[in-house]
Amino acid sequence: MTTPSHIGTEEKLVRMANQIAGFFATQPKASQAEETAAHIRAFWDPRMRAQLSKLLATDANGLSPLARAAAEHLEQSEQV
Amino acid sequence: MKDFIIPNWDETDMGTPASKATEQVTLTIDGFPVTVPAGTSVMRASAEAGIQVPKLCATDSLEAFGSCRLCVVEIEGRRGTPASCTTPVAEGMVVHTHSPKVKKIRKGVMELYISDHPLDCLTCSANGDCELQDMAGAVGLRDVRYEGVENHFEVRQNGEANARYIPKDDSNPYFSYDPAKCIVCSRCVRACEETQGTFALTIEGSGFDSRVSFGAKSDNALASDCVSCGACVAACPTATLQEKSVIEIGTPERSVITTCAYCGVGCSFKAEMRGDEVVRMTPWKHGKANRGHSCVKGRFAYGYASHNDRILNPMIRDTIDQPWREVSWDEAIAFTATKLRGIQEQHGVRSIGGITSSRCTNEETYLVQKLIRAVFGNNNTDTCARVCHSPTGYGLGKAFGTSAGTQDFDSVEHTDVVIVIGANPTDGHPVFASRLKKRLRAGAKLIVIDPRRIDLVRSAHIEAAHHLPLRPGTNVAVLSSISHVIVTEGLYDEAFIRERCDWDEFADYAAFISDARHSPEATALLTGVPADAIREAARLFATGGNGAIYYGLGVTEHSQGSTTVMAIANLAMMTGNLGRPGVGVNPLRGQNNVQGACDMGSFPHELPGYRHVSDPAVRDVFDKLWGSKIDPEPGLRIPNMLDAAVDGTFKGLYVQGEDILQSDPDTKHVSAGLAAMDCVIVQDLFLNETANYAHVFLPGSTFLEKDGTFTNAERRINRVRKVMQPRNGYADWEITQLLANAMGAGWTYTHPSQVMDEIAATTPSFANVSYELLEERGSVQWPCNEAAPDGTPLMHIDGFARGRGRFIVTEYIATEEKTGPRFPLLLTTGRILSQYNVGAQTRRTENVVWHDQDVLEVHPQDAEVRGIKDGQWVRLASRTGETSLRATITDRVSPGVVYTTFHHPDTQANVITTDFSDWATNCPEYKVTAVQVAASNGPTEWQEDYAAHAAQSRRILPAAE
């Protein structure tokens, strides 16, 4: 009927990760990346986490520094 | 054996309300000693003793009025014959209710009443249900001596038109007002005032000329302020205010107590039946959520259950461009099971999922998530709470440790200061609103935080102390400023914080919130709320006594929805407003069972009772019982399902009682997701909008057609009782079981009570809940277990569920949805009293007389610069899409803000809303969309395409003979 107007899923994941990081960036310094990663781990289904992990390979992925740190943290913990 | 307290469910009208005094008084009535609380009326004391004093103007839902003079009694040592309804008991009082003197007075009074009343009892619609008739009998009235005198009921008198006669007013679709039968007892006027709080009715004139009136002379019932709650109809002792359904059908012969299927207030109703036909729904006086009150939806708007649009046979089609084909249940279920298993074989176990219904029962919701977890083998389950109160679950869970409101509705009776933020109770939660307004009229103070001037800000006999008309999207900034004032001015409750929370954590929070950037002066430019107003509101809330916060979707449906919920929790904790009556954090839940749907494990990361799927011990409880192996990974939420569908990894969806195409944001994205799936199964009453993209339609049943339970916003588990057979053949839980078994589940439930037993066995907060207990108690509030066998009306009394309450830093982060030159206005959305959610039910009732289309509220300034006139078509456009609707010019909205409802699919307000969402839960940001408005000529091309597509999608092939 009409073409989808929404942005792509990857772009959306980046936005979501940045939003989550945006909240935890306001929380106590010590554990911001861990908390962001834990939130994503608790609420995102595996295919979304895998997509996020894949995004880490590209440089201009749009992830904020904290979201990137969280994604890296998440990737390491998932590999364990 | 358990020591059950059998509640008193006697429906006798005790004449006057119960006294709440603790002091007891003993008196003698007709020789019998009676002991009652001080302040009780003589009438009620008599009723307690089993003696019914004749009465007309008194009823126990209203304060005594003392006008009919029928209830007079004699009291030894007192002069005259006082009205028993207005006379309070006294110690040692000796009352005679049936002395020769009062018998004579009563007969005289009745004779006068009847002299101005038609004697058409046999054909009167109140025949058998008329207190005037009963009282004439009770006092032994045998003849009427006043004939041929002036009266109000004869059309013609002495050959001329009777100037006093007023014809029947049938303007309201649900009840009629027949002034000819009115005895001017004022019960209707008082019900409108005391119970509903609308003040639409009045008595005009005096003496013999006194008449009940809907306000101005020119007003009829429909044109007046009347909100059609039915309180006056329930209060009327005669046929004057009567349900049209009773006029048409006759009096009911039995009644069944059940629970309304509209909003999250969860009112208890008596479904009054004749055969399998509902004669009327009347609010049940012992219902603990509604205490005998109702609104236009629950009371009258049940006609959708028998509407012609209901689909009663299952239907299938291979592709969505084909017409529907009616098939047998066996064929539909087999088709569905084969399709779903086929998808899983090809695309993997996680390629399908389902959406549980917040309109269905707890038992049905539990079974859908069980189907998904145990039979589909994944956690791809979600529910409409995703798009409404998921931030409540997350935010309150983090702050207090439980994902629900802290109080019962009775709590409002003890409140001194109320904050209503992002909620419009008179429209969204009308029965609660009536209880709130009653408390406000008794002196409680109100602070409204809302971009729109909702009715609570100023209406009959109530006025908010402060209305903070904030710019949409700035909730966190406003709440932070309120907290800033409380902390920096030292108004916080240190003793409470030290005892119940972590003091060091509060100290960190206090340091954060004390920063000048949170001061009302600093945020005023951003929020649009004057600093003084915030300071005064903050001081009032912190120092005004019991403070309660009630909130709705104007809090949650933002990119910072969860943060706002945490800010609300902070505010309640810092002012010590938790753990007793009159205080608390009270989310006003949207749908009838959205609380229950959340409790029952509808979310993709949580098993029933809010326990994360990654917890092996919790999974083990269910795996043992279900013989399953629950996936330890969280599943997809609704927006994620749609994204995955567009990406091609999610292919099948079972949707029970939910219309995501109309209710979810960014319609075009939803339709793209649905269109990308191989098998969409819709189980609903009607061919809803989502069904346009469905391959299987399984006809659902209404709340009148099944047993089960709903859980309301107070965590109250109420029974839903079957009053008629399902017209579609099966209750919804049976349909889910058919599908599960076709996929190899082997379920054997024969009654929803067995499902509740399973819930109790697996979910600690429901451990003591059973249908037996609900029969005994009427309802219970969870947690209901060993620790709280009677349930829990108030939470966190001695400590928080998580131990210590947690203060969380709440920094304001602006949404990415911003106004600019192309889209300079902010659209916010909401609902209206007469319509419910996507309108699927209410649009199929007479409620459309109040709201037959969605309209756009525009401020006069914004309208003027755009050349828009009241009632004109306007085009509403955002970055996402555009639609057209009619404008209404009003200063209820601030300049720069426009507002509409989403009840009608031909408007599709959600084609405008974006896919921005809450950071924590993906709850969509419905409440903030940057838009432009311009004059237009009619529906947009998109609307016309949509309507054509919907008509095409709804074709049904004639059944094969």
Side-chain angles (χ1 to χ4, degrees), chain B residues 35-233:
Chain B
T35 302
V36 292
T40 301
S41 68
V42 169
M43 175 182 278
R44 189 176 176 104
S46 304
E48 298 281 359
I51 295 166
Q52 297 291 324
V53 179
K55 63 182 182 57
L56 279 170
C57 74
T59 184
D60 59 10
S61 63
L62 302 170
E63 295 300 325
F65 195 55
S67 82
C68 76
R69 306 303 301 164
L70 202 61
C71 72
V72 291
V73 292
E74 283 195 276
I75 299 171
E76 287 183 15
R78 294 202 188 181
R79 290 166 55 183
T81 48
S84 62
C85 63
T86 52
T87 306
V89 294
E91 187 63 38
M93 189 183 249
V94 179
V95 179
H96 300 283
T97 74
H98 199 62
S99 67
K101 190 174 178 185
V102 300
K103 278 157 68 177
K104 195 173 167 200
I105 293 173
R106 285 184 194 141
K107 211 178 264 192
V109 168
M110 273 314 293
E111 191 175 0
L112 284 167
Y113 271 116
I114 299 303
S115 71
D116 192 11
H117 196 86
L119 297 177
D120 62 350
C121 291
L122 279 182
T123 52
C124 178
S125 59
N127 187 8
D129 185 24
C130 173
E131 293 179 39
L132 188 68
Q133 197 177 43
D134 295 345
M135 290 306 114
V139 304
L141 183 71
R142 297 296 169 244
D143 60 355
V144 177
R145 292 165 293 166
Y146 314 108
E147 276 178 25
V149 295
E150 286 190 336
N151 67 46
H152 295 96
F153 66 87
E154 283 176 318
V155 185
R156 297 182 70 79
Q157 264 196 321
N158 309 322
E160 286 176 35
N162 178 2
R164 296 181 191 278
Y165 174 81
I166 303 173
K168 204 168 173 180
D169 175 354
D170 270 324
S171 59
N172 183 293
Y174 297 119
F175 64 83
S176 70
Y177 166 49
D178 185 355
K181 300 212 161 151
C182 181
I183 58 169
V184 203
C185 64
S186 299
R187 271 159 69 160
C188 55
V189 177
R190 290 179 287 139
C192 192
E193 183 180 317
E194 294 175 32
T195 309
Q196 165 57 28
T198 292
F199 295 76
L201 286 165
T202 188
I203 300 285
E204 62 172 36
S206 59
F208 192 61
D209 291 327
S210 305
R211 310 304 290 267
V212 170
S213 159
F214 281 93
K217 273 257 186 292
S218 57
D219 278 351
N220 59 23
L222 190 62
S224 73
D225 289 342
C226 169
V227 292
S228 197
C229 69
C232 58
V233 182

Side-chain angles (χ1 to χ4, degrees), chain B residues 810-862:
Chain B
T810 55
E811 187 77 68
Y812 169 70
I813 299 172
T815 170
E816 292 175 47
E817 176 70 5
K818 292 190 173 35
T819 54
R822 281 177 60 215
F823 302 104
L825 304 171
L826 284 179
L827 168 74
T828 187
T829 58
R831 58 167 98 171
I832 202 158
L833 170 67
S834 57
Q835 298 285 351
Y836 175 72
N837 202 270
V838 295
Q841 293 135 292
T842 44
R843 278 187 282 111
R844 292 180 171 94
T845 69
E846 300 286 343
N847 277 27
V848 290
V849 304
W850 287 282
H851 185 80
D852 62 354
Q853 57 186 306
D854 295 319
V855 295
L856 186 73
E857 291 187 359
V858 186
H859 190 272
Q861 283 176 19
D862 293 321

Side-chain angles (χ1 to χ4, degrees), chain B residues 535-648:
Chain B
R535 286 199 178 271
E536 283 169 25
R539 289 169 194 147
L540 174 62
F541 187 71
T543 61
N546 282 340
I549 306 170
Y550 291 85
Y551 72 89
L553 306 183
V555 158
T556 55
E557 289 175 348
H558 287 279
S559 62
Q560 276 200 294
S562 292
T563 315
T564 313
V565 172
M566 293 171 187
I568 287 171
N570 289 341
L571 188 55
M573 287 189 292
M574 79 176 67
T575 51
N577 278 314
L578 285 158
R580 62 178 188 278
V583 299
V585 174
N586 305 273
L588 294 168
R589 310 290 310 232
Q591 305 219 46
N592 54 319
N593 197 38
V594 70
Q595 179 69 53
C598 298
D599 302 340
M600 292 298 107
S602 294
F603 287 142
H605 65 287
E606 277 172 348
L607 286 155
Y610 304 97
R611 292 166 295 169
H612 203 277
V613 292
S614 61
D615 185 337
V618 178
R619 285 203 311 277
D620 193 50
V621 170
F622 291 95
D623 281 339
K624 281 205 173 107
L625 195 69
W626 294 351
S628 59
K629 202 163 163 39
I630 296 172
D631 187 347
E633 291 292 345
L636 295 165
R637 298 169 287 192
I638 295 171
N640 312 143
M641 289 179 191
L642 295 165
D643 290 340
V646 172
D647 286 353

Side-chain angles (χ1 to χ4, degrees), chain B residues 281-590:
Chain B
M281 298 287 283
T282 49
W284 188 40
K285 71 192 276 190
H286 299 298
K288 290 183 184 133
N290 55 320
R291 303 279 176 198
H293 191 35
S294 60
C295 83
V296 61
K297 295 188 284 279
R299 179 85 155 86
F300 295 117
Y302 51 85
Y304 67 87
S306 50
H307 195 279
N308 279 342
D309 282 354
R310 251 188 91 177
I311 303 290
L312 302 174
N313 296 307
M315 304 190 296
I316 59 172
R317 57 186 174 190
D318 288 315
T319 56
I320 57 171
D321 54 2
Q322 294 175 347
W324 286 107
R325 192 156 55 83
E326 287 189 354
V327 293
S328 67
W329 276 102
D330 283 348
E331 188 177 347
I333 295 290
F335 177 90
T336 311
T338 309
K339 275 240 180 192
L340 290 176
R341 283 299 186 218
I343 291 170
Q344 285 190 303
E345 274 165 30
Q346 203 183 336
H347 299 281
V349 171
R350 290 178 182 150
S351 61
I352 62 173
I355 298 176
T356 72
S357 176
S358 298
R359 292 175 198 161
C360 285
T361 63
N362 283 315
E363 294 75 5
E364 287 166 339
T365 301
Y366 176 89
L367 288 188
V368 172
Q369 63 90 34
K370 178 175 175 177
L371 167 78
I372 293 162
R373 296 203 152 99
V375 184
F376 292 3
N378 62 51
N379 288 310
N380 294 328
T381 169
D382 208 353
T383 191
C384 100
R386 175 64 52 211
V387 300
C388 64
H389 267 291
S390 52
T392 293
Y394 180 80
L396 296 186
K398 290 286 171 197
F400 303 151
T402 32
S403 300
T406 63
Q407 311 295 111
D408 57 7
F409 286 134
D410 285 352
S411 167
V412 77
E413 293 171 13
H414 307 279
T415 295
D416 301 309
V417 189
V418 183
I419 291 181
V420 172
I421 172 168
N424 186 8
T426 54
D427 287 48
H429 303 85
V431 170
F432 166 71
S434 289
R435 301 187 66 181
L436 170 62
K437 287 197 288 186
K438 188 169 193 168
R439 181 65 196 152
L440 295 175
R441 290 196 303 277
K445 297 282 187 293
L446 173 67
I447 299 162
V448 172
I449 307 176
D450 200 290
R452 224 169 133 251
R453 196 180 66 240
I454 58 172
D455 282 353
L456 278 181
V457 172
R458 189 179 155 84
S459 51
H461 296 270
I462 54 161
E463 183 163 17
H466 302 284
H467 174 214
L468 314 180
L470 77 179
R471 203 174 140 80
T474 60
N475 284 331
V476 171
V478 168
L479 289 169
S480 290
S481 284
I482 291 175
S483 296
H484 172 91
V485 174
I486 292 170
V487 171
T488 55
E489 296 189 5
L491 304 176
Y492 53 86
D493 184 343
E494 182 171 341
F496 181 92
I497 300 166
R498 284 193 184 276
E499 189 192 327
R500 305 287 302 274
C501 309
D502 184 309
W503 182 258
D504 289 342
E505 214 166 52
F506 175 72
D508 289 345
Y509 172 81
F512 157 81
I513 206 74
S514 299
D515 191 286
R517 71 180 187 280
H518 300 299
S519 74
E521 291 73 20
T523 58
L525 262 183
L526 170 75
T527 63
V529 184
D532 286 353
I534 295 217
R535 286 199 178 271
E536 283 169 25
R539 289 169 194 147
L540 174 62
F541 187 71
T543 61
N546 282 340
I549 306 170
Y550 291 85
Y551 72 89
L553 306 183
V555 158
T556 55
E557 289 175 348
H558 287 279
S559 62
Q560 276 200 294
S562 292
T563 315
T564 313
V565 172
M566 293 171 187
I568 287 171
N570 289 341
L571 188 55
M573 287 189 292
M574 79 176 67
T575 51
N577 278 314
L578 285 158
R580 62 178 188 278
V583 299
V585 174
N586 305 273
L588 294 168
R589 310 290 310 232

